[in-house]
Structures are given as structure tokens and as C-alpha cells.
Amino acid sequence: MAQEAVTDTPDDVTGEGVRRRDFINIAAVSAAGVAGVSLLVPLISQMAPSADVLAASSTEVDISAIQPGQAIKAVFRKQPVFIRNLTPKEIAAANAVNISSLRDPQTLAERTKEGKENWLITMGVCTHLGCVPLGAGEGENRGEFGGYFCPCHGSSYDTAARIRKGPAPKNLEVPEYEFTSDTVVKIG
């Protein structure tokens, strides 16, 4: 009988069943995986934008004091934004323009919200070289089309902030915005 014990081989040597070494390998790889994930999660989460950056991603503006025909300058993502309360005359002038004659064809309705056609909200950055056009402030030159005028290179925009003359290739950009009430607009 003693010979049988010597000649029998244990299961871990022949490869039959689960060996102790297999269990140790699985446990070690699992522990390394958990450790790797626990190191990566803080590294990846620290790349997320901070609270002050998220807060700057939208701006709320009270528009109750803007009279028809007036405009204000606000700041959104460190860039100027023009908010204009169009008069019925300015709306009529914008709607009277033949759209096919425009360099960047857009109607006033495409640039404003339904039911709020008198509120034109655009970025205050010229699409030519990034200058800030005039026309939003009291007494500023609005150009020959009554909208905005960029004195740096002579780009003129109409009352719907569409490019009409000069080197600018596109209309003033309309940012994403929504009216949260009748007197407050949220940009961004």
C-alpha cells in the first residue's frame, strides 16, 4: 500500500480540477484590476470641468428694462452677447430683405424664437476677424443697414444681424438660448 501512495499523483500535478495555483492567479489578477480601477477613477474624474466652469456655461439676463429699439451687451463665456428688442419697423425691414440676395441666407424667424420675434440675441463677435461690432450701445454707429457695424474692416449687418456688406463671411452667430420667463432669458 505504501507504493500506491507514492505512485498516485495529486490532482494539482495532473491538471485535473481547480488547482490552488489557478485560484491564486485569479485572485491576484482580480486584486490588480480593482487596484487599477481605483487609481483611474480619481484621475479621470479630476479632468471633469469644475463648478465655476459649469456655472459659466450659461448666463441668465433680465431683459425687462430693454425698451423697443434698444440693445444691451451681456457676457457669455467671456464673449460679448448682443440682446436687442426690435421695433416693428426693424422687424419689417428685416422681413423685407430678399433672402436669396444675402451672403448667409437666413430669415429673421430662423434667428429668433417663435412668439418672441422682437428679441434678437446674437454673439457680439464679427465673423471676419473676431472684432466687436458697434451698434448695441446708445449712440453707436449701426452702419448703413441699421443693425451693427464693425469699424475694423467695414462689415455691416442689418437689423437681423445678417451680413450685408464687407468682408465678414457669415451672420452674427445666434447662441443657444431659451426664455425662462417673460423677462429672463437663459443663454447657453
Side-chain angles (χ1 to χ4, degrees):
M1 265 209 195
Q3 285 183 346
E4 283 183 27
V6 173
T7 58
D8 286 342
T9 56
D11 287 341
D12 62 313
V13 175
T14 61
E16 297 174 10
V18 178
R19 299 178 306 172
R20 176 185 287 171
R21 182 173 294 166
D22 293 336
F23 175 76
I24 291 173
N25 284 339
I26 291 171
V29 169
S30 298
V34 168
V37 168
S38 68
L39 286 174
L40 285 178
V41 167
L43 289 175
I44 291 173
S45 64
Q46 65 92 22
M47 290 188 252
S50 61
D52 62 333
V53 171
L54 290 174
S57 66
S58 67
T59 301
E60 286 193 359
V61 180
D62 182 5
I63 57 174
S64 61
I66 307 172
Q67 298 300 314
Q70 289 183 328
I72 64 165
K73 294 177 189 174
V75 177
F76 171 61
R77 294 183 182 161
K78 298 183 181 181
Q79 293 186 342
V81 175
F82 297 154
I83 302 173
R84 183 182 296 271
N85 188 353
L86 298 171
T87 64
K89 183 179 176 183
E90 290 173 326
I91 293 170
N95 289 333
V97 174
N98 181 1
I99 301 302
S100 63
S101 69
L102 297 174
R103 187 178 309 162
D104 186 7
Q106 283 184 316
T107 64
L108 179 62
E110 291 174 320
R111 299 178 60 73
T112 58
K113 298 285 185 191
E114 186 176 339
K116 303 278 188 178
E117 289 84 9
N118 62 311
W119 291 105
L120 178 65
I121 300 172
T122 62
M123 298 303 294
V125 179
C126 181
T127 57
H128 178 231
L129 292 177
C131 308
V132 178
L134 301 175
E138 190 67 35
E140 289 182 352
N141 183 0
R142 291 188 172 189
E144 63 185 279
F145 299 99
Y148 301 102
F149 175 69
C150 185
C152 300
H153 300 100
S155 293
S156 291
Y157 299 87
D158 67 7
T159 58
R162 300 174 296 199
I163 185 64
R164 298 290 298 278
K165 183 179 178 184
K170 296 198 171 282
N171 303 330
L172 292 182
E173 179 187 350
V174 175
E176 288 187 30
Y177 69 93
E178 64 179 330
F179 288 90
T180 58
S181 72
D182 287 339
T183 59
V184 177
V185 64
K186 180 181 177 183
I187 305 170

